Amino acid sequence: MKKEKKYNLWPLKITVFTFFLSVSINVVTNLLIEKVSVVWAFFVLVCVVLIGIIFDIVGISVTSASETPFHARNAKGIPGGKEAINLIRNAEKVSNICNDVIGDTVGVVSGGLAGAIVAIVVLKYNGIDEVVLNLVLSGIVAALTVGGKAAGKKIAITKSHDIIKTVGISVYFIKKVFTFGAASGGKKPKKKVR
C-alpha cells in the first residue's frame, strides 16, 4: 500500500521539481548570457546542449544495464557499487529524470538561449536579418541535439555498464561531499551491547 501511494505521488513530485529546475537553469543561463560576449554566449548554449545529450546517455544506459556485475563491486566495498545497483533498481525514475526532466528542460532552455543570442547579435551588429539568424541558430541547436542524442544512444547501449559504473562512482563522491565525509562506504563497526 505504501509503495503504491509513493508511486502515485511521483508524477506530482517530478512536475514540481521540473518547474523549479527549469526556472533555475533559465535564470542562471540568462544571467551568464547578459554578462558575456556572443562567443561565450554560444559556448554556454553548446554546454547546455551537451548536458542534455549526456543525461540522455545516462537515462538510456540505466535501462540497458544489468545490476549483476555491480554486486561484486558492492561486496568488495568498491566506491560506487551500491549506488550503481540503486540506479539500476530505480531505472524507471532515473530514466524519467535524465531523459524527460533534464532532457526536456534543457531543450526548452536551449531554445530560449538561442533566441537570447539572436537578440544580442541583432542589437550589437546592424544589418543582420533577425528572422534568418533565428532560423539558422534554431536549426543548429536542433541538429546538434538530435545528432548528439542519436550518436549517444549506441554508446549508451553498448557501454551501459561502464557508464553506470562512472555515474555510480560520481554519485558516491557527491554523497560523500554533501555528507561532509560521513559516508564511509556504509561499513561501520558494530558494537556489541551486553
Side-chain angles (χ1 to χ4, degrees), residues 71-151:
H71 285 292
R73 292 178 65 82
N74 187 36
K76 291 174 186 173
I78 298 171
K82 181 181 175 184
E83 287 73 16
I85 292 167
N86 286 336
L87 286 167
I88 295 165
R89 285 184 180 171
N90 293 292
E92 186 182 336
K93 289 181 180 179
V94 174
S95 176
N96 181 228
I97 290 169
C98 291
N99 296 112
D100 302 327
V101 176
I102 294 173
D104 293 349
T105 301
V106 162
V108 171
V109 170
S110 62
L113 284 175
I117 290 170
V118 168
I120 292 167
V121 171
V122 169
L123 284 171
K124 283 189 176 181
Y125 307 101
N126 292 327
I128 292 176
D129 191 331
E130 186 177 348
V131 176
V132 172
L133 184 61
N134 198 13
L135 285 171
V136 169
L137 196 54
S138 296
I140 290 169
V141 169
L144 285 174
T145 304
V146 173
K149 286 185 178 183

Side-chain angles (χ1 to χ4, degrees), residues 7 75 184:
Y7 182 77
S184 58

Side-chain angles (χ1 to χ4, degrees), residues 30-99:
N30 284 329
L31 285 172
L32 279 172
I33 279 198
E34 285 174 11
K35 299 184 179 192
V36 296
S37 66
V38 176
V39 174
W40 278 106
F42 193 77
F43 176 74
V44 170
L45 176 60
V46 170
C47 286
V48 168
V49 171
L50 282 174
I51 288 167
I53 293 166
I54 290 165
F55 274 93
D56 192 67
I57 290 169
V58 173
I60 292 165
S61 295
V62 82
T63 57
S64 305
S66 162
E67 68 179 74
T68 309
F70 298 105
H71 285 292
R73 292 178 65 82
N74 187 36
K76 291 174 186 173
I78 298 171
K82 181 181 175 184
E83 287 73 16
I85 292 167
N86 286 336
L87 286 167
I88 295 165
R89 285 184 180 171
N90 293 292
E92 186 182 336
K93 289 181 180 179
V94 174
S95 176
N96 181 228
I97 290 169
C98 291
N99 296 112

Side-chain angles (χ1 to χ4, degrees), residues 4-41:
E4 220 173 292
K5 283 185 179 178
K6 277 187 181 179
Y7 182 77
N8 290 338
L9 285 176
W10 175 249
L12 178 64
K13 287 178 182 176
I14 209 68
T15 302
V16 173
F17 174 74
T18 304
F19 172 78
F20 287 108
L21 179 70
S22 181
V23 169
S24 303
I25 292 173
N26 266 309
V27 168
V28 170
T29 50
N30 284 329
L31 285 172
L32 279 172
I33 279 198
E34 285 174 11
K35 299 184 179 192
V36 296
S37 66
V38 176
V39 174
W40 278 106

